[in-house]
Amino acid sequence: MTDIQYLFPETYQASRERFRNNLSAVQAKWKNAKLFQHTLSYDNDLTIDWIYAEAEGGNEKIFMLTTGEHGVECYVGSAMLQRFVEQYMPKLNPNKTGILLVHAINPWGMKNHRRGNKDNIDLNRTFIWKGGFDSAFNPDYDKIDSFLAPSAKLTNIFLNNILYFLGLGWHVAQMGMSNFRYALLLGQYRNPQGLYYGGKELPEETRVLMDLYRQALSKYDQILHLDMHTGYGPRYQMSLVNSAFEKGNSEEFQKRFNYPLVVAATADEFYAIRGDMVDYIYEMWRSDFSQKRLFSSAFEFGTLGNTLYGLFQSPRVMIHENRAYWHGAKNERIHKKAKLGFEELFHPAAKNWRQKAVADADQAFDGILSAEGYF
Ligand SMILES: [Zn+2]
């Protein structure tokens, strides 16, 4: 097997530079390709970068690939973007197909190895279609807030793991497993230091992407969009996670894309959330562009696994990291340990994990782009 380690960047800056250098490869196919940037208002070293090219013979279809909505996940996302540029972009027809590649929707999170942006906002809870940021949303979150976001220094990981499992057991006994997961993952707009926080207003990163999606849906007759994520699902099989608004059946997609694992982002098959980016694209389509053809979905590269163990470990890891971020840890060793666990959840170092992730992405790129008529 060819070495794929080089695909995975070490730093935000290195990843961004490589992305910018892809412009010449894109221009070799699309002469009109350009590199664009949005510089974040709070740090002018941080940019959302994108390369866009129009189809040269009329705007029949567009392919869009986005990465790093959850900053720390962009190390894997950037690897997949690079893989696409090297292996699959050459097969597109520049005469019929436009292209939009987005590097690091959340550059602060990528640089600082966090999921949220500078304000701890999970951008995938902010793509709300014609709705406000309602602080009263998800009232059940209050029942688990102090469990998820303890406001004290992280002192002892072993002890806190025991407390976590006791707390988890208590809450699950009180609320039931499905209500607990629902309250945890749905998103909350009240506690700025809590998990899955959606903020109080539209973040600038979200606004940039909303504009890009509107331009693409306005201009093209067919839109294919793939967004890159990590952290959920089985460890050695990437899940293609369709929007709850996608009416197609998951099993039929598996056949059509020749890809073994397709799930819908519903409470039954995956989990329900508010302000999801892919859902937003479907809502925009349904409202203003429903005569066009749209398929938008997410690659979810699982890490801890789909067993009960994996499901319970990921909140534990996120609680410790978030706690150490806001309140510090007793010492540097404990802080490092909390961060390392988090890194393994969203950006695994293991070579065999990375190889399988790239192989799964290969199969999915090939299957989806073929089935949608891009190759
Ligand atoms: Zn994600």
Side-chain angles (χ1 to χ4, degrees), residues 12-23 34-40 43-52 64-69 74 78 81 99-108 110 204-205 208-209 212-213:
Y12 161 68
Q13 283 86 355
S15 178
R16 181 173 69 175
E17 193 180 326
R18 178 176 72 181
F19 177 74
R20 290 175 177 175
N21 288 334
N22 281 326
L23 179 64
K34 284 196 184 77
L35 172 69
F36 297 84
Q37 267 137 35
H38 171 85
T39 305
L40 290 190
D43 185 340
N44 56 23
D45 280 341
L46 296 175
T47 52
I48 303 171
D49 291 66
W50 64 96
I51 293 174
Y52 172 64
M64 309 193 283
L65 196 158
T66 53
T67 61
E69 185 187 25
C74 202
S78 171
L81 196 163
I99 190 165
L100 172 68
L101 305 171
V102 181
H103 180 263
I105 295 170
N106 171 11
W108 186 93
M110 184 181 188
E204 61 181 289
E205 299 92 333
V208 169
L209 269 291
L212 289 177
Y213 294 136

Side-chain angles (χ1 to χ4, degrees), residues 58-250:
N59 292 320
E60 198 176 294
K61 48 178 76 165
I62 186 168
F63 175 70
M64 309 193 283
L65 196 158
T66 53
T67 61
E69 185 187 25
H70 294 133
V72 65
E73 301 173 19
C74 202
Y75 295 90
V76 175
S78 171
M80 300 309 165
L81 196 163
Q82 192 62 26
R83 184 72 171 178
F84 174 81
V85 166
E86 292 174 9
Q87 301 288 323
Y88 301 99
M89 191 178 77
K91 297 186 185 179
L92 296 179
N93 178 352
N95 203 34
K96 289 187 167 174
T97 309
I99 190 165
L100 172 68
L101 305 171
V102 181
H103 180 263
I105 295 170
N106 171 11
W108 186 93
M110 184 181 188
K111 186 178 176 199
N112 294 284
H113 293 253
R114 296 212 81 213
R115 250 179 130 250
N117 73 0
K118 179 184 67 77
D119 300 318
N120 192 42
I121 293 171
D122 180 333
L123 297 178
N124 208 37
R125 300 296 182 279
T126 65
F127 285 82
I128 302 168
W129 181 253
K130 291 186 176 163
F133 285 67
D134 178 6
S135 63
F137 179 74
N138 187 7
D140 274 356
Y141 179 81
D142 289 346
K143 297 179 188 161
I144 55 176
D145 178 58
S146 60
F147 167 62
L148 298 174
S151 48
K153 200 181 268 188
L154 184 62
T155 49
N156 179 324
I157 290 194
F158 179 73
L159 178 68
N160 280 296
N161 285 344
I162 294 171
L163 291 173
Y164 167 78
F165 282 106
L166 290 173
L168 180 76
W170 191 81
H171 285 288
V172 168
Q174 296 291 310
M175 302 169 73
M177 187 59 195
S178 61
N179 286 340
F180 173 80
R181 285 211 355 123
Y182 199 71
L184 166 70
L185 295 162
L186 191 58
Q188 54 91 10
Y189 301 84
R190 288 193 291 292
N191 181 359
Q193 298 187 349
L195 298 189
Y196 303 103
Y197 173 57
K200 301 199 183 312
E201 56 186 19
L202 202 60
E204 61 181 289
E205 299 92 333
T206 303
R207 197 182 300 274
V208 169
L209 269 291
M210 284 178 168
D211 289 347
L212 289 177
Y213 294 136
R214 181 159 288 279
Q215 285 165 29
L217 267 67
S218 310
K219 199 151 201 158
Y220 294 87
D221 297 329
Q222 181 181 351
I223 299 97
L224 172 59
H225 169 236
L226 299 173
D227 188 37
M228 301 295 129
H229 288 267
T230 58
Y232 294 91
R235 178 168 171 89
Y236 292 105
Q237 187 66 61
M238 181 269 281
S239 312
L240 182 70
V241 182
N242 283 343
S243 164
F245 291 96
E246 170 54 61
K247 291 291 166 250
N249 164 287
S250 294

